[in-house]
Amino acid sequence: MLSRLSRRGYCSCVRQPWLFLGLGNPGDKYKGTRHNIGFEMIDVFAESVGIQMNLLNFKAIMGQGFVGDIPVILAKPQTYMNLSGESSGPLAAYYKLPLNRVLVVHDDTQLPCGVLRLQEKGGHGCHNGLKSVMHHFRGNREFARLRIGIGKPPGQMDPKAFLLQKFSMLARERIDGALEEGVEALKLVLSKDFGESWRLFNVEQKYKHLKQHTILEP
């Protein structure tokens, strides 16, 4: 598989790969925390399409395979969140991928818990992982994102403490449902360019939020 997807070999035999990057922190200490939802999304997607996350390269746990006839590279940088670009930058460069074939999955406090948003490009929104990724992409913001809402910290809670906490039982149920929907969102990315299908997905997610009851403690 490595040879089929190598920077020297893939162009002549298969379609150009997509790189899906999930952001998070390595180690059991951070497993299941809000800030690690990007890692979870990559793992759930990998399992759903039969890609094994059994490679370690570019400071990332990686998996490579095909979804239909589309080659896909999955990666979870192990550099800690704030240095995610140290992995993603060299990884995208090695495969000579244009940034319109890169998608970053990350947590987002600006979206309600369990609500997803596909985005063609954008800024970092004060997300330190995205800041690092953009820095190592030479300031370029022309890459897609799957934003996964985790809600805002309640009351005067320290945002950093909030990010490193695990989900409440109710929030966990919503996140599990969101991960299932995220699999379909990533498949949509593989099958359709940014356009009406992405917009319809976002509208559906917005409507889902309007139907939800407010979570007081995400």
Side-chain angles (χ1 to χ4, degrees):
M1 183 60 67
L2 277 171
S3 61
R4 293 183 71 188
L5 293 183
S6 73
R7 59 180 177 176
R8 293 175 296 276
Y10 71 76
C11 291
S12 62
C13 59
V14 295
R15 296 171 63 181
Q16 192 173 47
W18 266 95
L19 170 60
F20 290 165
L21 292 158
L23 303 188
N25 289 307
D28 291 341
K29 176 181 178 180
Y30 300 102
K31 187 176 181 179
T33 61
R34 295 180 176 93
H35 220 19
N36 269 39
I37 196 64
F39 278 11
E40 287 195 53
M41 184 70 259
I42 292 297
D43 287 337
V44 171
F45 182 77
E47 183 176 1
S48 75
V49 298
I51 293 178
Q52 293 186 343
M53 300 294 292
N54 58 359
L55 303 172
L56 184 60
N57 212 342
F58 300 101
K59 301 181 181 179
I61 294 174
M62 297 176 56
Q64 302 185 17
F66 289 81
V67 178
D69 64 345
I70 303 174
V72 179
I73 305 162
L74 307 177
K76 301 187 296 181
Q78 300 295 292
T79 55
Y80 289 95
M81 177 68 80
N82 294 359
L83 300 175
S84 298
E86 291 184 3
S87 169
S88 55
L91 180 53
Y94 176 82
Y95 288 102
K96 298 183 178 180
L97 294 176
L99 292 189
N100 63 6
R101 300 296 282 188
V102 176
L103 180 141
V104 177
V105 185
H106 65 91
D107 58 290
D108 196 316
T109 59
Q110 300 305 308
L111 290 175
C113 185
V115 173
L116 307 179
R117 183 71 49 80
L118 279 172
Q119 192 169 331
E120 183 184 18
K121 57 186 178 181
H124 54 68
C126 296
H127 190 290
N128 288 330
L130 278 179
K131 283 183 182 179
S132 178
V133 170
M134 289 177 63
H135 174 72
H136 285 269
F137 286 163
R138 300 181 179 179
N140 198 318
R141 56 168 58 184
E142 306 292 316
F143 57 91
R145 303 99 190 281
L146 175 60
R147 300 162 53 197
I148 303 179
I150 59 171
K152 293 183 178 181
Q156 300 299 314
M157 184 177 184
D158 178 18
K160 292 182 180 179
F162 176 77
L163 292 174
L164 298 180
Q165 274 189 349
K166 295 187 177 182
F167 294 97
S168 68
M169 185 178 298
L170 179 57
R172 184 72 250 182
E173 290 178 2
R174 292 190 175 180
I175 287 296
D176 287 344
L179 291 173
E180 293 180 8
E181 294 173 348
V183 169
E184 298 309 311
L186 294 178
K187 290 179 179 178
L188 181 64
V189 169
L190 295 175
S191 63
K192 302 286 186 180
D193 292 332
F194 180 79
E196 186 63 20
S197 58
W198 289 34
R199 285 189 284 269
L200 287 175
F201 175 83
N202 289 336
V203 169
E204 290 173 358
Q205 288 292 309
K206 184 176 181 179
Y207 180 68
K208 180 183 76 171
H209 164 56
L210 294 176
K211 293 173 64 177
Q212 289 179 350
H213 295 294
T214 301
I215 295 180
L216 296 179
E217 184 184 3

